[in-house]
Amino acid sequence: MSCGEPHETDCSEILDHLYEFLDREMPDADCVKFEHHFEECSPCLEKYGLEQAVKKLVKRCCGHDDVPGDLRSKVMGRLDLIRSGQAVPDQDVTASPVSPGQAPQVAEPSQAPQATPQES
């Protein structure tokens, strides 16, 4: 998405890192760069407002639920894969701890027993 106007920071870069901005997981200098972009780019500002509203809604509706530790580990493992640029497997990522630079292990798909025809 782009508004078609030239900006110091391209719209695609802003949208690629929008959640980092929302979660305040970036350096202050980058936050200032994003805020400046939102001042001059209404499509990105609109997307930011929408994502901020969704985040608030999720927190309000689900913020009190405890997340199982293994689910958190699986999600963090997938995020690590994505951030490192590795392909994300279709199977579940195991909840085993992962050292930096090491890919999480992939759980093998379960083998469902084959149904056999019943004799009459």
Side-chain angles (χ1 to χ4, degrees):
M1 174 174 101
S2 177
C3 65
E5 299 293 324
H7 300 287
E8 183 178 328
T9 306
D10 189 59
C11 295
S12 62
E13 181 182 343
I14 296 296
L15 297 176
D16 286 346
H17 299 281
L18 186 57
Y19 284 100
E20 293 170 54
F21 177 77
L22 279 167
D23 296 336
R24 298 293 184 203
E25 295 177 343
M26 59 176 39
D28 289 341
D30 289 339
C31 288
V32 169
K33 184 170 64 170
F34 274 57
E35 290 164 355
H36 179 351
H37 184 92
F38 293 137
E39 289 173 3
E40 60 184 26
C41 183
S42 60
C44 288
L45 178 61
E46 184 177 331
K47 179 70 172 167
Y48 165 72
L50 175 64
E51 296 300 330
Q52 186 178 40
V54 169
K55 183 176 169 127
K56 285 180 183 179
L57 179 64
V58 169
K59 183 177 181 178
R60 184 174 46 119
C61 294
C62 305
H64 59 280
D65 294 339
D66 291 330
V67 177
D70 63 331
L71 175 60
R72 178 174 168 68
S73 295
K74 287 178 183 181
V75 170
M76 296 307 290
R78 290 236 177 187
L79 288 173
D80 288 342
L81 281 175
I82 291 167
R83 287 182 180 142
S84 69
Q86 297 180 30
V88 178
D90 291 334
Q91 298 91 359
D92 289 340
V93 176
T94 62
S96 61
V98 178
S99 302
Q102 176 187 9
Q105 298 192 357
V106 177
E108 293 297 321
S110 62
Q111 296 291 328
Q114 297 285 331
T116 56
Q118 293 185 2
E119 295 180 29
S120 309

